[in-house]
Amino acid sequence: MAAGQECSGQCSCPSTPPQCPLGVSLVLDGCSCCRVCAKQLGELCAEKDICDPHKGLYCDFGAPTNKRIGVCTAREGATCVFGGMVYKNGESFQSSCKYQCTCLDGAVGCVPLCSMDIRLPSPDCPMPKRVKLPGKCCEEWICDSPRKNPFLGSALAAYREEETYGPDPNMMRENCLVQTTEWSACSKTCGLGISTRVTNDNHECRLEKQTRLCMVRPCESQLEQSIRKGKKCIRTPRVSKPMKFEISGCTTTKSYRPKFCGVCVDGRCCTPHRTTTLPMEFKCPDGQVMKKNMMFIKSCACHYNCPGENDIFEAMYYKKMIGDMA
């Protein structure tokens, strides 16, 4: 609990940093002295006890004259809908006994509450097996009886020297279970929009929000005219001539022939299904060059799961995109 702690100018830190609960960031305190567990949404905070910056939280002191004790508050951002519940931006919740989740501006990222360790064979436990025990959420290791094998001893010695960090080396990195959500639907049905996702695929293993530009289709396109006779949809048309993308007056340095999602005449809507993300360079009138990631469509799906007009949850109706697939 915060008690109006202020910075004294002198640092006195414990020899080992604290062990924070899963989903709570280990950060440098407000005095830039010691590593501490960040305060969470609704908890008391102070100049020294900072709120979790990785969840978009800040210390709200209320009155301008009060700078001693505040409450951790979420910055303005989109809410999340998960399991039929609505969560505020920055709010943490337990989706099940196995996962602790956080709402991050409209997207949900989760970390496992169960241990992801691996147990290698040993003389006292030659055949370890992970099983679900009654009344317990997380699976636990048990030791099966080995089959009779005269070469078992030498095999165990060799196996124990193998280095391993988890059940899937591709998903584990320095005790970090890498998790990435699917890309959200594009924020615009035509023209240039934004797509987002949440990932902890970074050196700090912390949840962060990633964005990419996206264009489902140009707004001025007359795709209905391209539907062949006897057909009801044009699914994934490609532009006939190379084009450049423009954002805030800046134009891509290269030309592209992207695929777009088409249209239907039977009430269905067409949305991206398989996409990939590529870096692009934009050159601005003042000569500045900026780099942005852009969604490129590989294929689209036409379906009746379409959003209604002015539906604030329209992104929930779109079929989810499968991003960055070869």
Side-chain angles (χ1 to χ4, degrees), residues 28 52-53 115 145 149 180 215 244 302:
L28 204 60
D52 202 326
S115 171
S145 300
N149 190 332
T180 303
M215 185 182 286
K244 292 188 175 184
C302 298

Side-chain angles (χ1 to χ4, degrees), residues 119-128 143-144 146 152-153 155-157 159-160:
R119 181 165 184 171
L120 297 180
S122 61
D124 60 326
C125 188
M127 296 185 68
C143 297
D144 274 0
L152 186 61
L156 285 176
Y159 190 26
R160 282 176 60 80

